[in-house]
Each structure stands twice: as C-alpha cells, then as structure tokens.
Amino acid sequence: MKKIISITILSLTTLTAWSQTFYYDQTKQITGNGFGYQCDNVSGKVTLYNADNRFIYQTWSYKDGSQPEIEILRGIEKTITFDDKTYEGFFTIIRNGFTTTQKAAIGEYSLYVMAYIDPSTGKIADVEFSFGERTPLAEIPVEVYFNIEQQLKAQQVYKITEIGKQLNYCFDVAAIKINP
C-alpha cells in the first residue's frame, strides 16, 4: 500500500513540475528587466514578440495603403537582398542564443522567426518568434528570445530594393533548426 501511495505522489509531483515549465500556455504580457513581451497563444500556436513593436499584425502594403502586386506577395519580385554573410548571420545569431543544455532539450524542433525590416534603414525593427505551446521551445525563458532579438537588431542589416523602399515594411522569415 505504501508503494502505491508513493508512486501516486511521485507521479503527481512529476506531472506538476513538468507542466510548470511551459511559459507560453496562454495569451499574456510578460515583463522582464527592461522589456515587455506579448505572448499570443491561439489554439496551441505561440507567437512571441516585443510589446513595443511597430509592424507585427500590420497589413503589408505600399506606404500609400494599396496592396502589393501578386509578384511581390509571392516573392517573385524581391523586396530585400542579402549576401551569404547576412544570411548565415541570421541563423548563427539565433542558434548561438541558446545554451548547450537548451539546444539539447530542443532537439529536432524548428523555431519560426520573422524579422520585420524598416525599409528606410534596412535594419530589423521587430522580431516575431513562433512555436508550439507544448514543444521544448516553450520551455525557454523569454529573456533568451529578448537577447536574440537584441542581437539581430544590432547586427543584421539588409539591402532594400527599389520595390521594398515603397512598402511599409519588408521581412525575412525562416524555419530554423537550432541543431542543424
């Protein structure tokens, strides 16, 4: 009987500890040392971004408000260009933002990252992270995502094409395997 009670208590304790590690199980604002992040959880899909964003959830359009042509929407007409250093830098900054222990826990999961680029400067204005609420990425503290965002903003600069300069923002998006 003592064995059954001990196993039951251990199981309940383990489940409680396991469920407490997911930071993004509901829509909420998360504040930290010098930042505020918004976590939008819609049906288990987490969208995480700085609450001081400029472009997230804004309709992509020309600066006059009209909609881009289908060639732009499909990516046939480029709005940004970048060299191999910029391309690799984006992935490297994100991968290096996680500790060895965090990388091991993340395993084969991909982190979806969208960088919203200011067309007048070529610099990243906003960063949006997306992942499932019950993946190891949901166990990563918000400070890690904030630090990655700060590194991307400080180090990444894109070349904006003539078409891109006419838009309210440009973007770069990638599904990134943290452990390639």
Side-chain angles (χ1 to χ4, degrees), residues 115-167:
Y116 294 80
I117 303 159
D118 185 322
S120 61
T121 65
K123 293 184 177 185
I124 295 174
D126 300 318
V127 179
E128 174 183 303
F129 302 98
S130 184
F131 47 85
E133 76 173 1
R134 295 287 177 209
T135 66
L137 291 158
E139 298 178 24
I140 305 297
V142 71
E143 291 81 6
V144 172
Y145 294 108
F146 174 71
N147 289 332
I148 292 170
E149 174 191 6
Q150 296 307 302
Q151 291 296 314
L152 288 171
K153 286 180 173 181
Q155 296 179 32
Q156 292 295 105
V157 179
Y158 294 83
K159 294 176 187 160
I160 308 299
T161 66
E162 287 305 313
I163 292 171
K165 290 176 183 177
Q166 299 171 39
L167 298 167

Side-chain angles (χ1 to χ4, degrees), residues 1-6:
M1 184 64 165
K2 287 182 182 179
K3 196 174 194 180
I4 292 173
I5 292 172
S6 295

Side-chain angles (χ1 to χ4, degrees), residues 24-72:
Y24 315 104
D25 58 346
Q26 59 185 315
T27 296
K28 61 186 172 186
Q29 184 134 27
I30 304 166
T31 56
N33 188 13
F35 65 87
Y37 256 65
Q38 180 63 38
C39 167
D40 296 335
N41 185 326
V42 179
S43 301
K45 180 187 172 214
V46 174
T47 304
L48 185 66
Y49 55 92
N50 197 311
D52 292 330
N53 77 83
R54 290 173 42 198
F55 300 119
I56 297 172
Y57 293 130
Q58 280 194 16
T59 301
W60 195 38
S61 67
Y62 285 107
K63 290 179 181 174
D64 68 4
S66 63
Q67 293 298 305
E69 291 80 15
I70 194 74
E71 293 83 11
I72 296 171

Side-chain angles (χ1 to χ4, degrees), residues 76-130:
I76 297 167
E77 293 285 338
K78 303 294 180 201
T79 61
I80 59 171
T81 61
F82 45 85
D83 55 23
D84 289 343
K85 182 180 174 186
T86 304
Y87 179 78
E88 286 302 319
F90 188 76
F91 287 80
T92 301
I93 290 167
I94 294 165
R95 288 181 180 133
N96 288 345
F98 298 95
T99 66
T100 304
T101 304
Q102 290 168 337
K103 288 178 183 180
I106 292 167
E108 295 296 314
Y109 285 91
S110 291
L111 175 64
Y112 296 87
V113 181
M114 180 176 257
Y116 294 80
I117 303 159
D118 185 322
S120 61
T121 65
K123 293 184 177 185
I124 295 174
D126 300 318
V127 179
E128 174 183 303
F129 302 98
S130 184

